[in-house]
Amino acid sequence: MDSVVYDTPDAYDADTRDDRRGAGGASVTRPRALATEAVHAGREDLAALGLHAAPIDLSTTYPSYDSRGEAARIDAFAAEGAEPEGPPVYGRLGNPTVARFETALARLEGTESAVAFASGMAALSAVLLVRNAMGLRHVVAVRPLYGCSDHLLTAGLLGSEVTWVDPAGIADALRPDTGLVMVESPANPTLAELDLRAVAHACGSVPLLADNTFATPVLQRPVEQGARLVLHSATKYLGGHGDVMAGVVACDEEFARGLRQVRFATGGVLHPLAGYLLLRGLSTLPVRVRAASSNAAELARRLAGDPRVARVHYPRIGGAMIAFEVHGDPHDVIAGVRLITPAVSLGSVDSLIQHPASISHRIVPTEDRHDAGVSDRLLRLSVGLEDVDDLWTDLDGALGFTSGV
């Protein structure tokens, strides 16, 4: 059979491929879909460079024969935190490979900018330091949060003070020195969901930081609901393969400048190889999240009908995370899995299970942990891309080890 050849219009221009013709022949720009942005954002210049894959720039320093100009650029960065124009200066100010990832993540979250760090906790620390430097040390937060985030706020390690409230109490908890309201939705590990739009309204002029690690921009974009800052442990779904550690804050350019200054001063920089792996991970993020979410929804359905399971937590918006409480000993389930990996972390292509009260949230005081819904019988399951029937066979066998119903 002869092949079919499709002619391309002569006027086609790769630089205007998003243009569509509206009424009267007027050019109409249609925003790219998330799946398209995930593949192309941060890579638009590659073809002009004669490249297909993004390069990895491992340089820690860069040559410059214009020392006066170099000094002026460094002064401008120190004063404002704006990204230096022209060639790079030093790895602690920024890196071209990392910048590609930051550009791509900002596009996916719908923000002006993004600033990447060596871990999610480094990213959160930088946010707190930016506000602390302005004398705004008070934080209003809603539990549950990731255990280490909870500990960082509660312990006041960076000089901050936290007031824990229910969502309805946010407005009343605000003070003149409140610099931040922090929430996580769906929350780690209970998957509790918040009305982010209502929370943002309650914040007034105080910035809302939403941890979007579990949802990713595939399922929700908090900025569209009023959040000013979006936090990710990029170690999880953004990387997606369990081989990179990173954090990132997506935000407006004004806040990003402060974050860059903190990153430069504290050295919490992201390694270029990690930036490369994250950019690569973003290209498959929508496909991975949707496939894993399909598996998770089916497993949640089966767990909900199992008499050995007391309760199942699964978000209304979907996602690849499940939390469930067993009648028997949760440690027996951890010991009984064979295909699923018993390990901390989440968001990888393979499925992981852990006991929050023993590991990720053990650092949270017991009473606070229980008040936030993190029971001692709760298990957190990060569902991967395996065949769903194979995952259920493994879970079913592990549940058989429990001493409950």
Side-chain angles (χ1 to χ4, degrees):
M1 180 178 178
D2 293 337
S3 61
V4 179
V5 178
Y6 295 93
D7 292 326
T8 303
D10 293 338
Y12 182 87
D13 183 347
D15 292 332
T16 58
R17 59 179 59 124
D18 284 335
D19 287 352
R20 300 292 185 269
R21 294 293 166 183
S27 178
V28 178
T29 300
R30 180 180 66 81
R32 286 174 167 171
L34 182 86
T36 303
E37 289 285 31
V39 173
H40 290 280
R43 303 170 178 85
E44 290 87 350
D45 63 330
L46 294 183
L49 295 173
L51 300 172
H52 184 238
I56 306 175
D57 187 333
L58 295 173
S59 298
T60 58
T61 191
Y62 298 86
S64 173
Y65 293 95
D66 180 9
S67 57
R68 292 187 182 87
E70 196 88 324
R73 292 199 298 146
I74 293 175
D75 286 348
F77 176 85
E80 301 178 5
E83 293 184 287
E85 296 182 1
V89 178
Y90 183 56
R92 198 149 41 85
L93 274 81
N95 171 272
T97 306
V98 172
R100 289 182 181 276
F101 163 66
E102 292 172 331
T103 295
L105 192 277
R107 293 263 283 278
L108 293 184
E109 283 290 3
T111 59
E112 289 180 316
S113 302
V115 183
F117 295 86
S119 70
M121 292 308 301
L124 175 56
S125 296
V127 172
L128 295 175
L129 288 172
V130 168
R131 302 306 279 170
N132 288 357
M134 301 173 67
L136 303 171
R137 298 179 178 275
H138 181 238
V139 178
V140 175
V142 177
R143 281 186 169 122
L145 298 176
Y146 168 53
C148 288
S149 299
D150 187 308
H151 177 67
L152 180 64
L153 295 177
T154 302
L157 296 175
L158 298 178
S160 57
E161 176 190 349
V162 64
T163 299
W164 296 101
V165 297
D166 293 326
I170 290 175
D172 290 339
L174 299 179
R175 307 186 327 206
D177 64 338
T178 302
L180 192 70
V181 175
M182 182 173 180
V183 300
E184 183 175 1
S185 181
N188 184 355
T190 65
L191 303 177
E193 296 175 273
L194 299 176
D195 182 342
L196 291 179
R197 196 175 302 278
V199 169
H201 179 74
C203 292
S205 60
V206 176
L208 171 62
L209 169 66
D211 188 328
N212 204 34
T213 298
F214 276 20
T216 81
V218 176
L219 300 180
Q220 72 179 6
R221 303 212 294 184
V223 169
E224 294 176 351
Q225 300 177 61
R228 183 178 178 185
L229 310 165
V230 181
L231 174 69
H232 284 273
S233 172
T235 307
K236 313 307 193 293
Y237 289 103
L238 303 189
H241 294 76
D243 55 8
V244 59
M245 184 167 287
V248 64
V249 179
C251 56
D252 55 80
E253 175 58 20
E254 179 185 358
F255 206 101
R257 293 184 177 198
L259 291 173
R260 294 187 195 107
Q261 290 176 309
V262 169
R263 183 176 64 182
F264 174 73
T266 61
V269 296
L270 184 65
H271 192 275
L273 180 58
Y276 171 85
L277 291 173
L278 287 166
L279 182 67
R280 187 177 69 171
L282 288 184
S283 64
T284 60
L285 178 66
V287 176
R288 287 187 287 104
V289 168
R290 287 166 183 151
S293 298
S294 177
N295 278 350
E298 175 60 18
L299 290 178
R301 184 188 69 79
R302 296 186 189 187
L303 286 167
D306 195 299
R308 297 164 295 185
V309 176
R311 188 178 183 187
V312 176
H313 307 258
Y314 188 68
R316 290 189 304 273
I317 65 170
M321 299 298 299
I322 303 172
F324 62 100
E325 299 169 47
V326 295
H327 289 293
D329 189 337
H331 298 285
D332 291 341
V333 179
I334 296 291
V337 292
R338 294 295 179 265
L339 175 65
I340 299 167
T341 301
V344 298
S345 200
L346 56 107
S348 185
V349 292
D350 60 320
S351 298
L352 307 174
I353 192 169
Q354 66 110 343
H355 182 238
S358 295
I359 306 178
S360 64
H361 287 71
R362 188 168 186 80
I363 201 169
V364 179
T366 302
E367 184 178 352
D368 294 334
R369 191 169 67 231
H370 289 169
D371 288 345
V374 185
S375 79
D376 291 337
R377 295 186 182 273
L378 184 76
L379 291 165
R380 191 190 73 185
L381 176 64
S382 172
V383 181
L385 303 182
E386 301 94 340
D387 180 85
V388 70
D389 289 326
D390 289 335
L391 290 172
W392 176 248
T393 297
D394 194 39
L395 271 178
D396 183 42
L399 287 166
F401 286 102
T402 62
S403 57
V405 177

